[in-house]
Amino acid sequence: MKHIYLNLKRFDVPVELGGVNRLAPVKSWGAAVVCGTQEGLKHYDPAKVEFVQYLPEAHLLAAVSALSEGSPVKLGSQGVYRMNTAVGGNFGAFTTNRPASIIKAMGCTSTIIGHCEERNDKKGVLAEAGVTDMSAVNRLLNQEIKCAQDAGLTVLYCIGETSEEQPEWENVLGEQLDVGLDGVDKSRVVIGYEPVWSIGPGKTPAGKEYITKIARFVKERTGGMDVVYGGGLKADNAAMLASIEEIDGGLIALTRFQGEIGFYPEEYLEIIRLYLGE
């Protein structure tokens, strides 16, 4: 099966506040994303491809309410906390955090864990505390995956190496996989590979040969888990990524990178058409 993920980050922030939201007023933004995409996805075979959209938590209820009958869109959160509520246990003392139980109760079926932006945040907090063993990040992410799975959510688990880590990419990615996936149900996890060293303005995107090498490594290390390209599935790399047998889909974020940059539903659908060749 192919997996097409959408990470909407903070694309809800209006332009006048420094964001890229030209799609809809903030109150209706989550619904606008779903309404603008779900009909165009209905002609794809749900047995062959899944579409998961990760929204900021404040927009999830509106997005769930906008789902039409038989909608191919699955919704998810941009992370869960490493602890959860439990009957007879913690009843919800998680100020500022997202226990997996509420994400499931809100109507989500999935969550993204370990995105490079989350990893950077955790590294920064640990560094402020004087921690130099960054393997702690992978242990924290492992706890998050387990909480998500206990709540019945599937997981997109992101891994990737920075430019400083690239010479040791095999060790870096190997630890992220080994520690992050320790004791989890791998059948309910898809790996998202982010070549962090190649993401961003002015950087050279990872090429087909490099992406193929990493995808093969991940599959060998994990016993054949599905791997999607998390460095940004775009119109200009869709055909290349589709030609890599070892890649099982991609992660879309921005759809327009020049002019009025941002996320636009019609461009999202076009990227999917180019990738799936339909």
Side-chain angles (χ1 to χ4, degrees):
M1 172 180 278
K2 294 293 186 181
H3 313 270
I4 306 295
Y5 297 103
L6 173 63
N7 179 17
L8 287 158
K9 302 193 179 186
R10 294 296 343 185
F11 299 161
D12 56 337
V13 180
V15 173
E16 61 270 22
L17 298 178
V20 297
N21 176 16
R22 297 176 177 87
L23 180 63
V26 172
K27 289 183 178 180
S28 58
W29 180 82
V33 171
V34 171
C35 291
T37 59
Q38 63 185 345
E39 292 302 319
L41 299 175
K42 284 185 175 179
H43 75 275
Y44 294 103
D45 185 349
K48 295 181 179 180
V49 58
E50 70 165 354
F51 304 100
V52 187
Q53 301 179 356
Y54 299 111
L55 281 74
E57 185 179 346
H59 300 283
L60 289 174
L61 289 177
V64 169
S65 297
L67 293 173
S68 62
E69 184 176 355
S71 176
V73 172
K74 299 177 182 178
L75 294 170
S77 67
Q78 296 178 341
V80 296
Y81 191 48
R82 64 181 181 274
M83 293 186 285
N84 202 1
T85 58
V87 176
N90 194 317
F91 55 84
F94 297 120
T95 302
T96 79
N97 293 308
R98 295 167 291 197
S101 57
I102 192 59
I103 297 302
K104 179 68 173 179
M106 292 172 77
C108 294
T109 61
S110 185
T111 189
I112 181 172
I113 290 174
H115 187 278
C116 64
E117 291 159 9
E118 180 188 7
R119 287 181 179 274
N120 284 341
D121 179 61
K122 284 181 165 55
K123 287 179 180 178
V125 172
L126 290 171
E128 284 294 323
V131 177
T132 57
D133 176 18
M134 289 302 155
S135 62
V137 172
N138 296 316
R139 295 195 295 271
L140 292 171
L141 296 175
N142 176 254
Q143 294 173 35
E144 293 177 3
I145 294 175
K146 289 176 177 175
C147 281
Q149 292 194 332
D150 287 346
L153 301 170
T154 62
V155 173
L156 172 62
Y157 177 53
C158 296
I159 65 170
E161 78 280 32
T162 65
S163 57
E164 293 79 13
E165 295 169 331
Q166 195 177 12
E168 298 293 327
W169 69 266
E170 190 168 359
N171 292 330
V172 171
L173 300 183
E175 180 181 278
Q176 291 176 359
L177 291 168
D178 295 347
V179 177
L181 298 175
D182 182 43
V184 310
D185 180 357
K186 293 181 180 179
S187 69
R188 293 192 289 141
V189 179
V190 172
I191 303 300
Y193 170 60
E194 299 180 281
V196 184
W197 54 270
S198 74
I199 301 173
K203 295 183 179 180
T204 303
K208 179 177 180 178
E209 183 177 350
Y210 193 89
I211 296 170
T212 302
K213 175 181 71 173
I214 299 299
R216 287 175 178 169
F217 169 80
V218 172
K219 286 184 178 293
E220 291 171 2
R221 191 84 171 209
T222 64
M225 291 178 68
D226 283 357
V227 185
V228 303
Y229 182 66
L233 173 56
K234 311 166 189 174
D236 60 4
N237 67 8
M240 180 272 286
L241 292 172
S243 71
I244 302 177
E245 183 179 352
E246 294 83 357
I247 289 292
D248 303 295
L251 179 60
I252 300 171
L254 290 175
T255 60
R256 189 181 304 176
F257 298 85
Q258 295 180 339
E260 295 187 337
I261 68 170
F263 170 80
Y264 298 90
E266 66 277 10
E267 295 173 354
Y268 162 80
L269 294 172
E270 176 63 9
I271 292 169
I272 292 172
R273 186 192 68 78
L274 291 170
Y275 178 74
L276 295 176
E278 301 178 30

